């Protein structure tokens, strides 16, 4: 009997080669899920898989661009065959193309919409049928405090606000099948993404972190594990009555 049929639930985490996605994949494996570690580059995803396997977990590296419909369909089918039907989906893959509005190019806009919004839509549409068959599922979308507005991020803040509307609609449509959908809106988390922002602004990452921490009530910036912990809660059995919510995880009440 495969592990899937023996009861191990399967989770997909997109953008899981590094950062928040990698920490989430590791955490869900610790929670007992078999985890599909999906990223643009399958070789990069293998690092996270090795970490999970070294700790005794089960994982599969999957290379796919979440904004490519055919690649997404093929990836989800491969995951269903090789790991088991996915019942948890974490839409985490993301990119930044920050620019002030007057300098923002068409492609800065399109790539951010494609990865965050189209990507979450395609992944969710492909995965939901397995959740409906199982009459159980958990969808977690990565929004951001930028959804409330952020200078230089007209594209990203629009996409992250859009993901909140997407989450609420999924909660309404899928609830009767035992599927919940929630969004997490992180504040400043120390990853390659915030490191790249510091570089673009010409500020050493350590100084960037210090400056951000001085504005945060808990007096520190976030770690990927802070977000993984919240994903773990939303994916848990006991969270079945929490759906359509957006939790701001930003070390304080304000973004
Ligand atoms: P990260 O370190 O940049 O990791 C993002 C991962 O997504 C990378 O491995 C990247 O692969 C992958 N990816 C990008 N485009 C993809 C695509 N089309 N298909 C599949 N994978 C793709 O970012 P992070 O900081 O961990 O952020 C994770 C999520 O949290 C994002 O949605 C981000 O917007 C959100 N978030 C982050 C923060 C923060 O402070 N870090 C705050 C709020 C929200 P490549 O390396 O190959 O490009």
């Amino acid at each position: 009997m495969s592990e899937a049929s023996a009861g191990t639930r399967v989770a997909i985490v997109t953008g899981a080669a590094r950062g928040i996605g990698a920490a989430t994949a590791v955490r869900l494996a610790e929670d007992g899920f078999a985890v599909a570690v999906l990223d643009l580059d399958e070789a990069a995803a293998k690092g996270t898989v090795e970490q999970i396997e070294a700790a005794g977990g089960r994982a599969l590296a999957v290379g796919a661009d979440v904004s490519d419909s055919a690649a997404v369909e093929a990836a989800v089918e491969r995951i269903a065959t090789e790991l088991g039907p996915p019942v948890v989906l974490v839409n985490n893959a993301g990119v930044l193309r920050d620019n002030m509005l007057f300098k923002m190019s068409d492609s800065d806009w399109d790539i951010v919409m494609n990865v965050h919004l189209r990507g979450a839509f395609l992944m969710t549409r492909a995965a939901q049928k397995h959740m409906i068959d199982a009459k159980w599922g958990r969808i977690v979308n990565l929004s951001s405090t930028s959804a409330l507005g952020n200078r230089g991020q007209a594209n990203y803040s629009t996409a992250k606000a859009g993901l909140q509307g997407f989450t609420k609609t999924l909660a309404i449509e899928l609830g009767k099948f035992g599927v919940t959908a929630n969004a997490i809106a992180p504040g400043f988390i120390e990853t390659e993404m915030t490191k790249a922002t510091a570089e673009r602004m010409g500020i050493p990452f350590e100084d960037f972190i210090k400056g951000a921490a001085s504005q945060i009530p808990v007096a520190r910036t976030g770690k990927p594990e802070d977000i993984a912990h919240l994903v773990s809660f939303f994916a848990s059995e006991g969270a079945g009555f929490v759906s359509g919510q957006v939790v701001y995880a930003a070390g304080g009440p304000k973004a």
Side-chain angles (χ1 to χ4, degrees):
M1 201 193 310
S2 74
E3 278 192 62
S5 54
T8 303
R9 283 173 169 158
V10 174
I12 303 176
V13 184
T14 71
R18 65 179 198 217
I20 294 170
T24 297
V26 167
R27 175 61 189 264
L28 291 178
E30 283 168 9
D31 291 347
F33 292 96
V35 183
V37 176
L38 189 149
D39 211 288
L40 271 177
D41 178 15
E42 184 163 327
K46 285 205 169 108
T48 309
V49 168
E50 280 162 16
Q51 205 184 327
I52 289 170
E53 287 175 345
R58 187 156 167 250
L60 175 72
V62 181
D65 178 346
V66 295
S67 65
D68 176 335
S69 188
V72 164
E73 287 293 329
V76 172
E77 279 324 293
R78 183 182 158 210
I79 292 161
T81 306
E82 293 186 30
L83 270 189
V87 291
V88 172
L89 172 64
V90 184
N91 285 310
N92 166 85
V95 290
L96 290 180
R97 291 291 184 276
D98 293 358
N99 243 325
M100 293 299 282
L101 180 65
F102 75 101
K103 286 198 269 186
M104 190 170 281
S105 68
D106 293 11
S107 83
D108 289 337
W109 180 268
D110 290 343
I111 190 170
V112 168
M113 294 306 148
N114 280 339
V115 176
H116 294 271
L117 287 179
R118 183 178 160 84
F121 159 62
L122 293 175
M123 285 298 307
T124 307
R125 190 180 61 183
Q128 55 83 31
K129 52 183 170 284
H130 297 290
M131 302 184 197
I132 284 167
D133 285 349
K135 297 199 165 44
W136 193 93
R138 301 280 188 258
I139 298 164
V140 182
N141 296 318
L142 267 290
S143 178
S144 166
T145 52
S146 295
L148 301 170
N150 199 23
R151 193 178 174 80
Q153 292 195 319
N155 49 4
Y156 185 79
S157 62
T158 301
K160 291 309 200 186
L163 280 169
Q164 296 190 8
F166 181 60
T167 301
K168 288 168 193 286
T169 299
L170 295 177
I172 291 166
E173 290 192 13
L174 301 178
K176 67 176 172 204
F177 303 105
V179 178
T180 67
N182 291 285
I184 299 172
F188 188 118
I189 309 297
E190 294 169 33
T191 68
E192 292 300 320
M193 189 177 266
T194 39
K195 200 182 273 179
T197 302
E199 268 166 29
R200 199 175 49 80
M201 296 169 78
I203 304 169
F205 194 39
E206 286 312 306
D207 295 351
F208 195 51
I209 288 173
K210 243 184 242 164
S214 72
Q215 305 297 315
I216 299 173
V218 299
R220 68 169 179 88
T221 48
K223 304 274 188 200
E225 292 72 21
D226 290 313
I227 304 308
H229 191 71
L230 202 45
V231 176
S232 169
F233 166 74
F234 282 134
S236 68
E237 188 63 42
F241 203 57
V242 182
S243 196
Q245 300 305 303
V246 180
V247 173
Y248 283 81
K254 285 198 223 153

